[in-house]
């Protein structure tokens, strides 16, 4: 019986997910910060590029000059959100929408941290013979 | 680290909104000033917001290496400019600043407009504070991972 103690699929997936959540939170913070900037368009992380890369199984180098990133979790591109109404100053950031995203990402982050800690506790309990 | 960029960005927003609130407060305080040291009534000041990407070479180089596009997200910068709209003219022949026709030039400040802008600036400020709190809590939960 081989149990991967330190690095296993759960931990890898979770740490990649935590990174993604941190990136998304940064984009939301930038949107909120620029809510009064004329001409600023709300940004988001493009989901389809993440999905495409996940299906292909890893990062694709489209140019030989690109640095290789083997096994790195797929990082979505930061793009402008589509189909949003702009105000008079051509700014289309909605405070309510961004605040909702802020709360959602924080919740997901907390849940992932909990899962992470559970894994740690499982390992620790195994080390301590179930005590 | 991913979350530090978010704190920087929100911090720049707090700076910008605070500058805006100070400017609005100055406008309100000087709304009736008909005589400034430079002569003439107080001219309303306005704040212009601009989204600026980080300009340091190290951040651009780092982004090229690890493709962390979020580091290049724009911060917000505020600049104080003069409002070029014309002064308000009122007929007050007894006023010491009245011209030969009895008109006095008052600042181009509309207190109602300034109050509304103040409320909006306060709301945006609080929104960025909420963003900072959310990010700060995420970072602290990560520190708790080892427990």
């Amino acid at each position: 019986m081989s149990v991967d103690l330190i690095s296993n699929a759960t931990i890898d997936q979770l740490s990649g997910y935590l990174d993604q959540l941190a990136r998304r939170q940064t984009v939301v913070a930038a949107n909120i910060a620029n809510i009064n900037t004329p001409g600023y368009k709300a940004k988001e992380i493009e989901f389809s590029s993440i999905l495409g890369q996940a299906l292909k199984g890893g990062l694709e180098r489209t140019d030989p000059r690109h640095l290789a990133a083997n096994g790195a979790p797929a990082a979505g591109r930061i793009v402008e959100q589509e189909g949003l109404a702009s105000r008079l100053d051509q700014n289309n950031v909605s405070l309510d929408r961004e605040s909702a995203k802020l709360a959602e990402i924080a919740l997901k982050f907390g849940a992932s941290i909990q899962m992470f800690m559970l894994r740690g506790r499982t390992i620790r309990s195994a080390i301590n013979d179930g005590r | 680290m991913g979350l530090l960029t978010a704190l920087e960005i929100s911090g720049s927003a707090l700076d910008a909104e605070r500058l805006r609130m100070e400017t609005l407060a100055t406008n309100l305080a000087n709304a009736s000033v008909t005589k400034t040291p430079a002569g003439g009534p107080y001219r309303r000041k306005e704040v212009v917001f601009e989204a600026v990407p980080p300009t340091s070479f190290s951040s651009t180089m780092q982004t090229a290496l690890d493709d962390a596009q979020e580091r290049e997200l724009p911060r917000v910068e505020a600049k104080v400019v003069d409002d070029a709209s014309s002064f308000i003219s009122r007929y007050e022949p007894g006023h010491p600043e009245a011209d030969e026709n009895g008109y006095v030039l008052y600042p181009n400040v509309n207190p109602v407009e300034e109050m509304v802008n103040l409320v909006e600036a306060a709301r945006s400020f609080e929104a960025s504070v909420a963003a900072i709190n959310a990010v700060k809590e995420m970072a602290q939960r990560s520190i708790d991972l080892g427990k």
Side-chain angles (χ1 to χ4, degrees), chain A residues 22-23 25-27 29-30 32-38 40 43 67 76-78 95-96 102 109-110 113 116-117 124, chain B residues 2 6 9-10 13 17 20 49-51 65 69-70 73-74 76 120 123-124 127 130-131 135 138 141-142 145-146:
Chain A
R23 292 187 79 225
Q25 200 70 305
T26 310
V27 175
I32 291 181
N34 284 287
I35 190 161
N36 290 315
T37 307
Y40 179 86
K43 301 197 183 351
L67 299 167
R77 281 181 314 138
I78 295 179
L95 189 54
D96 307 308
L102 200 69
F109 198 88
I113 296 278
F116 228 127
M117 288 169 74
R124 213 168 296 158
Chain B
I9 296 174
S10 295
E17 294 295 346
R20 188 169 167 214
F49 279 20
E50 205 186 316
L65 281 177
Q69 285 177 297
E70 62 268 19
L73 284 169
V76 68
E120 198 207 328
R123 188 167 166 246
S124 306
V135 167
M138 279 166 74
R141 301 291 300 273
S142 319
L145 264 179

Side-chain angles (χ1 to χ4, degrees), chain B residues 99-113:
Chain B
D99 63 9
E100 61 271 9
N101 296 320
Y103 283 96
V104 184
L105 281 177
Y106 276 88
N108 48 345
V109 173
N110 180 350
V112 174
E113 202 181 313

Side-chain angles (χ1 to χ4, degrees), chain B residues 16-35:
Chain B
E17 294 295 346
R18 201 175 26 83
L19 182 64
R20 188 169 167 214
M21 292 204 281
E22 282 170 12
T23 309
L24 291 168
T26 308
N27 287 340
L28 279 174
N30 291 296
S32 305
V33 169
T34 50
K35 182 171 164 192

Side-chain angles (χ1 to χ4, degrees), chain B residues 42-55:
Chain B
Y42 170 83
R43 181 168 283 285
R44 178 176 178 263
K45 306 243 177 311
E46 210 172 280
V47 175
V48 172
F49 279 20
E50 205 186 316
V52 293
T55 48

Side-chain angles (χ1 to χ4, degrees), chain B residues 52-134:
Chain B
V52 293
T55 48
S56 76
F57 171 72
S58 68
S59 93
T60 316
M61 180 66 181
Q62 198 61 36
T63 309
L65 281 177
D66 58 20
D67 195 33
Q69 285 177 297
E70 62 268 19
R71 210 179 280 110
E72 298 293 311
L73 284 169
R75 280 80 170 137
V76 68
E77 212 174 72
K79 250 189 342 221
V80 180
V81 296
D82 278 340
D83 181 348
S85 59
S86 47
F87 293 123
I88 300 174
S89 188
R90 292 209 190 113
Y91 184 66
E92 282 175 26
H95 198 279
E97 293 296 307
D99 63 9
E100 61 271 9
N101 296 320
Y103 283 96
V104 184
L105 281 177
Y106 276 88
N108 48 345
V109 173
N110 180 350
V112 174
E113 202 181 313
E114 306 298 306
M115 286 305 296
V116 169
N117 288 339
L118 202 57
V119 168
E120 198 207 328
R123 188 167 166 246
S124 306
F125 187 91
E126 281 164 19
S128 279
V129 169
I132 288 187
N133 282 337

